[in-house]
Each structure stands twice: as C-alpha cells, then as structure tokens.
Amino acid sequence: MEEKIIKINNVEYVRKDSIKTTLPAKKNSKGMEYCIVRTYSAGVFAGYIDRKVKGQENTIFNSRRLWYWDGANSLSDVATNGVTKPNTCKFGVEIPETDLKQVIEVIPCTGRAEKNIKEVKV
C-alpha cells in the first residue's frame, strides 16, 4: 500500500495502515536480537538472545515468560504482530537473565511485536 499523507495545520500525518510493520526489532547493545524462544519443557520466553549460539542451550536476557497469549493464533503471530488482547495475556515479570536448556525454536520479533510484548502488564 502506498503512503497516504495528510497535512493538518502544517503537520504531516501518515495513515497507520500504510506503515510497514514487519521491520525487525532493534538489537541490544551486545548485538542480541529480541526473540520468542520455545523450550521443550520450560515454556516460552521473549527476550534478547544471541542467535549465533547453536545447539539446545542458550541464555536469554531481559526476558519474560509467556504463559498465555490472547489475540494471537500462534507464536509466529506473537513474534510478528504481538497480541491484540493484552489485558487478558499472562506474561511474567521481566528478569535479567535465564539459562535455557532444550531450546527447540527461536523466532525473531519485529519491532512492533517487541514493543507490544513489553507493554503487556504483569
């Protein structure tokens, strides 16, 4: 869709639906990406992870455990768009660091999803 710009009182506004929302989340100061990480038995987390680390063990930083996400069909949806019903989601408090064992899936988040996930109340 092409950008639709409206000018009111010399201020330009862009239609929300014309903004590309699939840009990747910004990397943190250590070059780690904000991702959704699914483990075999510890659950699902959102936070910063070094995707260059291969294998089933990794450490996630500034992470939240995602226990219930409402308004998204799958973790892929959460990583792309975030959730549409943040008041009914169950996300844990952000913690500085967690060592994860048995990592089975890492999904990079868009900037939009990262912002949305961080705004869900504990």
mmCIF file of all heavy atoms in Angstrom, residues 27-33 48-50 52 61-62 97:
data_model
loop_
_atom_site.group_PDB
_atom_site.id
_atom_site.type_symbol
_atom_site.label_atom_id
_atom_site.label_comp_id
_atom_site.label_asym_id
_atom_site.label_seq_id
_atom_site.Cartn_x
_atom_site.Cartn_y
_atom_site.Cartn_z
ATOM 1 N N LYS A 27 18.547 -4.541 17.749
ATOM 2 C CA LYS A 27 19.415 -5.362 18.581
ATOM 3 C C LYS A 27 19.809 -4.565 19.812
ATOM 4 O O LYS A 27 19.867 -3.339 19.779
ATOM 5 C CB LYS A 27 20.647 -5.777 17.789
ATOM 6 C CG LYS A 27 20.307 -6.695 16.627
ATOM 7 C CD LYS A 27 21.525 -7.168 15.905
ATOM 8 C CE LYS A 27 21.092 -8.101 14.778
ATOM 9 N NZ LYS A 27 22.212 -8.655 14.056
ATOM 10 N N ASN A 28 20.080 -5.288 20.908
ATOM 11 C CA ASN A 28 20.507 -4.583 22.114
ATOM 12 C C ASN A 28 21.979 -4.206 21.983
ATOM 13 O O ASN A 28 22.616 -4.471 20.962
ATOM 14 C CB ASN A 28 20.220 -5.407 23.377
ATOM 15 C CG ASN A 28 21.135 -6.602 23.535
ATOM 16 O OD1 ASN A 28 22.000 -6.890 22.717
ATOM 17 N ND2 ASN A 28 20.927 -7.337 24.607
ATOM 18 N N SER A 29 22.548 -3.612 23.017
ATOM 19 C CA SER A 29 23.912 -3.106 22.938
ATOM 20 C C SER A 29 24.948 -4.211 22.713
ATOM 21 O O SER A 29 26.044 -3.934 22.250
ATOM 22 C CB SER A 29 24.261 -2.327 24.212
ATOM 23 O OG SER A 29 24.190 -3.183 25.335
ATOM 24 N N LYS A 30 24.594 -5.449 23.000
ATOM 25 C CA LYS A 30 25.528 -6.564 22.782
ATOM 26 C C LYS A 30 25.254 -7.283 21.464
ATOM 27 O O LYS A 30 25.765 -8.369 21.225
ATOM 28 C CB LYS A 30 25.452 -7.538 23.955
ATOM 29 C CG LYS A 30 25.911 -6.913 25.260
ATOM 30 C CD LYS A 30 25.843 -7.885 26.402
ATOM 31 C CE LYS A 30 26.305 -7.182 27.670
ATOM 32 N NZ LYS A 30 26.126 -7.998 28.854
ATOM 33 N N GLY A 31 24.408 -6.715 20.620
ATOM 34 C CA GLY A 31 24.124 -7.296 19.313
ATOM 35 C C GLY A 31 23.134 -8.444 19.337
ATOM 36 O O GLY A 31 22.995 -9.162 18.355
ATOM 37 N N MET A 32 22.440 -8.633 20.444
ATOM 38 C CA MET A 32 21.467 -9.719 20.529
ATOM 39 C C MET A 32 20.110 -9.269 20.018
ATOM 40 O O MET A 32 19.764 -8.102 20.130
ATOM 41 C CB MET A 32 21.344 -10.200 21.973
ATOM 42 C CG MET A 32 22.573 -10.897 22.468
ATOM 43 S SD MET A 32 22.311 -11.520 24.116
ATOM 44 C CE MET A 32 23.565 -10.591 24.962
ATOM 45 N N GLU A 33 19.353 -10.218 19.469
ATOM 46 C CA GLU A 33 18.043 -9.922 18.903
ATOM 47 C C GLU A 33 16.928 -10.253 19.898
ATOM 48 O O GLU A 33 17.043 -11.198 20.673
ATOM 49 C CB GLU A 33 17.813 -10.746 17.641
ATOM 50 C CG GLU A 33 18.741 -10.404 16.507
ATOM 51 C CD GLU A 33 18.474 -11.283 15.300
ATOM 52 O OE1 GLU A 33 17.391 -11.149 14.699
ATOM 53 O OE2 GLU A 33 19.337 -12.113 14.990
ATOM 54 N N TYR A 48 16.102 -11.037 24.784
ATOM 55 C CA TYR A 48 17.278 -10.906 23.925
ATOM 56 C C TYR A 48 18.121 -12.170 23.990
ATOM 57 O O TYR A 48 18.459 -12.654 25.069
ATOM 58 C CB TYR A 48 18.115 -9.699 24.352
ATOM 59 C CG TYR A 48 17.422 -8.394 24.083
ATOM 60 C CD1 TYR A 48 16.716 -7.744 25.089
ATOM 61 C CD2 TYR A 48 17.449 -7.823 22.817
ATOM 62 C CE1 TYR A 48 16.068 -6.547 24.838
ATOM 63 C CE2 TYR A 48 16.796 -6.625 22.564
ATOM 64 C CZ TYR A 48 16.109 -5.998 23.577
ATOM 65 O OH TYR A 48 15.470 -4.828 23.325
ATOM 66 N N ILE A 49 18.464 -12.686 22.815
ATOM 67 C CA ILE A 49 19.232 -13.925 22.730
ATOM 68 C C ILE A 49 20.255 -13.794 21.603
ATOM 69 O O ILE A 49 20.017 -13.115 20.603
ATOM 70 C CB ILE A 49 18.282 -15.128 22.507
ATOM 71 C CG1 ILE A 49 19.023 -16.450 22.683
ATOM 72 C CG2 ILE A 49 17.572 -15.053 21.179
ATOM 73 C CD1 ILE A 49 18.095 -17.647 22.816
ATOM 74 N N ASP A 50 21.391 -14.435 21.792
ATOM 75 C CA ASP A 50 22.434 -14.455 20.759
ATOM 76 C C ASP A 50 22.110 -15.600 19.809
ATOM 77 O O ASP A 50 22.291 -16.764 20.153
ATOM 78 C CB ASP A 50 23.804 -14.650 21.406
ATOM 79 C CG ASP A 50 24.945 -14.578 20.398
ATOM 80 O OD1 ASP A 50 24.681 -14.529 19.172
ATOM 81 O OD2 ASP A 50 26.109 -14.575 20.845
ATOM 82 N N LYS A 52 23.595 -16.514 17.227
ATOM 83 C CA LYS A 52 24.770 -17.187 16.665
ATOM 84 C C LYS A 52 25.112 -18.445 17.452
ATOM 85 O O LYS A 52 25.809 -19.315 16.954
ATOM 86 C CB LYS A 52 25.967 -16.235 16.645
ATOM 87 C CG LYS A 52 25.803 -15.107 15.645
ATOM 88 C CD LYS A 52 27.026 -14.217 15.657
ATOM 89 C CE LYS A 52 26.565 -12.788 15.753
ATOM 90 N NZ LYS A 52 27.362 -11.940 16.570
ATOM 91 N N PHE A 61 18.269 -12.810 27.857
ATOM 92 C CA PHE A 61 18.433 -11.654 28.732
ATOM 93 C C PHE A 61 17.195 -10.757 28.660
ATOM 94 O O PHE A 61 16.543 -10.669 27.618
ATOM 95 C CB PHE A 61 19.661 -10.847 28.321
ATOM 96 C CG PHE A 61 20.938 -11.636 28.450
ATOM 97 C CD1 PHE A 61 21.415 -12.381 27.387
ATOM 98 C CD2 PHE A 61 21.650 -11.651 29.638
ATOM 99 C CE1 PHE A 61 22.583 -13.125 27.501
ATOM 100 C CE2 PHE A 61 22.812 -12.386 29.763
ATOM 101 C CZ PHE A 61 23.284 -13.125 28.692
ATOM 102 N N ASN A 62 16.914 -10.063 29.775
ATOM 103 C CA ASN A 62 15.760 -9.166 29.873
ATOM 104 C C ASN A 62 14.523 -9.865 29.313
ATOM 105 O O ASN A 62 13.855 -9.353 28.418
ATOM 106 C CB ASN A 62 16.021 -7.852 29.148
ATOM 107 C CG ASN A 62 17.207 -7.132 29.733
ATOM 108 O OD1 ASN A 62 18.331 -7.379 29.314
ATOM 109 N ND2 ASN A 62 16.978 -6.285 30.704
ATOM 110 N N GLU A 97 18.226 -12.394 33.470
ATOM 111 C CA GLU A 97 18.950 -13.463 32.778
ATOM 112 C C GLU A 97 18.367 -14.822 33.140
ATOM 113 O O GLU A 97 18.041 -15.073 34.295
ATOM 114 C CB GLU A 97 20.415 -13.394 33.215
ATOM 115 C CG GLU A 97 21.332 -14.372 32.575
ATOM 116 C CD GLU A 97 22.775 -14.144 33.016
ATOM 117 O OE1 GLU A 97 23.187 -12.987 33.247
ATOM 118 O OE2 GLU A 97 23.484 -15.146 33.132
#
